[in-house]
Amino acid sequence: MKNKRPYNFNPGPAILPLEVMQKAQEEFLNFNNTGLSIAESSHRGKDFEGVVQQAQEKIKKILNISDEYNILFLQGGASLQFGMIPMNFLNGKNADYVLTGYWAKQAVKEAKLFGQVNIAASSEDKNFSVIPEKFNFSSDAQYVHLTSNETIHGIQWRKFPDTGNVPLIADMSSDIISRRFDMNKFSMIYAGTQKNMGTSGVTLVILRKDLAGKANPNLTTMLKYQTHIEKNSLYNTPCVIGIYLTNLVLDWVLKQGGLDAVEKMNNEKAAILYDYIDSSNFYYGLTEKTDRSKMNVVYQIKDAAAEEKFISEAKASGFIGLKGHRNLGHIRASIYNAMPLQGVKDLVSFMKDFAKKNG
Ligand SMILES: Cc1ncc(COP(=O)(O)O)c(C=O)c1O
């Protein structure tokens, strides 16, 4: 193995703080002085129950979440939530969806199986380079669904819409715990933990109790939110190692100074990368400045062959995961919480050098 770890710009599973992995390594054979690894510990034991409880408390603290909400750790990824939400809350009625990119589309596809979907706004005509500004919300919708950050298209909501009495639900998979937002606006948020909160295998669901109370009771046990609320996410065997890692990542976030400190750092990293792209006539951003993502920076080089070369030379120089999603192509630098400032600075130096040699 090389001495230096590469900078990991993968979209997810994504970079983890080094100290989190070192801590996990240190206690991998002996978790909490049990003499056992967390990976072989019973999910019914006191020690693991403690991990769940601690992680829930830290999430509440970091995101400023009131007791009106349940915090759940489920499985099946955000992809299962695309179906579970309409299964529980649509019941043949109608819901509003805002179409902002690939992931919002996936959510719409599943919802259509369980009721009527009204596309309240879409930026598809602009190749999902911007967040829509005008919404055609229905007053009788069961809920409004949006995707706070489109991981593939690289756009992110700055200000969330006011949906009045209609519950607002957001897929926050790729920007959870990266910035402050007002949870009171939302009835539910969900996120796979593999970007900013740990590794894959766990989906965080934060669900307001009043919405949970309206869920369809006639579903198979595992697909009812009520099951997981009643059993505090321990109805079936959860992803013990995933929840454990999330708990360690939350400690790291608190150690950084909490959400405000993390957000400040994310703003700084995104500004460094976008400022350089804006100033360059070799690299071009694919998204509108107003809505571009601070987590997934998507850009291109006009010459496709140079783009290929860029990705392979970047990899050889220790910058991995920069290839854009297969549906969009181009270049994508995912700069989640754990990406250090130096990683972004070094990437920009590499980009400058590459532009000089190939421009
Ligand atoms: C915004 C968003 N939603 C949903 C998903 C799907 O998540 P999963 O693969 O955990 O089901 C992803 C995955 O990258 C995502 O970025």
Side-chain angles (χ1 to χ4, degrees):
M1 204 176 84
K2 287 184 229 157
N3 288 335
K4 192 169 174 273
R5 305 186 85 239
Y7 285 124
N8 179 0
F9 292 92
N10 274 317
I15 183 167
L16 279 164
L18 188 59
E19 61 187 82
V20 164
M21 291 188 285
Q22 282 166 336
K23 169 94 174 155
Q25 184 182 42
E26 204 179 287
E27 51 185 32
F28 191 68
L29 295 182
N30 184 9
F31 166 66
N32 230 8
N33 284 325
T34 55
L36 297 179
S37 170
I38 184 69
E40 57 180 351
S41 297
S42 166
H43 62 295
R44 304 272 172 227
K46 246 189 9 281
D47 292 286
F48 183 72
E49 279 187 19
V51 173
V52 171
Q53 201 186 335
Q54 284 166 32
Q56 287 167 329
E57 278 163 13
K58 287 170 204 166
I59 288 167
K60 278 185 153 186
K61 182 171 174 187
I62 293 169
L63 294 178
N64 194 17
I65 299 194
S66 76
D67 291 338
E68 294 293 292
Y69 294 83
N70 289 114
I71 297 180
L72 307 174
F73 300 110
L74 307 186
Q75 292 166 76
S79 299
L80 182 59
Q81 295 308 306
F82 295 160
M84 228 170 126
I85 292 164
M87 240 181 251
N88 278 270
F89 305 125
L90 199 44
N91 296 321
K93 296 186 184 137
N94 58 303
D96 289 349
Y97 277 71
V98 184
L99 205 57
T100 45
Y102 177 85
W103 291 113
K105 254 192 181 177
Q106 296 298 100
V108 166
K109 187 176 115 204
E110 300 298 302
K112 281 183 173 166
L113 299 169
F114 300 98
Q116 288 163 39
V117 171
N118 167 45
I119 302 297
S122 168
S123 54
E124 191 159 23
D125 57 338
K126 296 186 177 118
N127 294 325
F128 299 126
S129 60
V130 67
I131 299 287
E133 274 184 338
K134 293 206 170 79
F135 311 100
N136 179 20
F137 290 133
S138 339
S139 55
D140 64 347
Q142 298 304 297
Y143 59 83
V144 173
H145 180 280
L146 61 81
T147 311
S148 62
N149 182 72
E150 285 283 357
T151 323
I152 295 173
H153 291 92
I155 52 172
Q156 186 176 29
W157 291 72
R158 292 287 183 274
K159 189 170 173 281
F160 295 110
D162 194 353
T163 57
N165 290 330
V166 178
L168 180 58
I169 299 180
D171 172 4
M172 293 198 178
S173 289
S174 48
D175 67 352
I176 187 86
I177 310 214
S178 71
R179 58 171 171 166
R180 199 157 283 294
F181 66 95
D182 180 7
M183 185 67 205
N184 295 320
K185 270 197 131 160
F186 296 87
S187 290
M188 172 174 167
I189 64 169
Y190 62 100
T193 54
Q194 66 266 30
K195 299 163 198 301
N196 266 335
M197 288 189 68
T199 190
S200 56
V202 181
T203 318
L204 169 69
V205 170
I206 305 180
L207 176 56
R208 194 148 73 199
K209 292 174 181 166
D210 57 353
L211 181 60
K214 292 184 194 153
N216 180 357
N218 303 313
L219 294 171
T220 185
T221 313
M222 274 298 284
L223 296 179
K224 285 196 278 199
Y225 290 109
Q226 207 53 45
T227 303
H228 303 290
I229 292 169
E230 279 166 17
K231 300 289 181 189
N232 198 22
S233 302
L234 295 170
Y235 171 74
N236 73 315
T237 316
C239 178
V240 285
I241 195 144
I243 297 172
Y244 160 81
L245 274 176
T246 290
N247 192 35
L248 294 187
V249 171
L250 295 167
D251 281 335
W252 177 84
V253 169
L254 288 167
K255 213 170 134 196
Q256 304 309 297
L259 203 53
D260 294 329
V262 164
E263 178 169 13
K264 188 164 168 274
M265 185 60 84
N266 287 332
N267 285 341
E268 203 177 327
K269 288 184 295 186
I272 289 173
L273 193 45
Y274 282 120
D275 284 350
Y276 172 60
I277 293 169
D278 290 344
S279 71
S280 146
N281 46 22
F282 184 76
Y283 302 98
Y284 297 89
L286 291 168
T287 48
E288 292 296 328
K289 281 188 185 174
T290 46
D291 301 328
R292 55 198 188 180
S293 169
K294 293 177 184 175
M295 296 281 100
N296 311 98
V297 179
V298 179
Y299 55 103
Q300 65 170 328
I301 301 171
K302 289 263 158 84
D303 171 9
E307 226 169 57
E308 289 274 308
K309 191 171 175 219
F310 173 87
I311 288 156
S312 79
E313 286 189 14
K315 190 172 171 196
S317 303
F319 304 94
I320 64 150
L322 289 167
K323 195 169 169 52
H325 188 270
R326 60 189 178 278
N327 286 355
L328 192 68
H330 303 303
I331 303 166
R332 169 176 53 173
S334 296
I335 49 172
Y336 299 119
N337 289 353
M339 174 58 64
L341 186 63
Q342 196 58 46
V344 175
K345 287 184 176 165
D346 289 356
L347 175 64
V348 168
S349 301
F350 172 81
M351 286 166 66
K352 283 183 182 165
D353 199 42
F354 186 87
K356 212 192 276 171
K357 288 186 190 140
N358 296 275

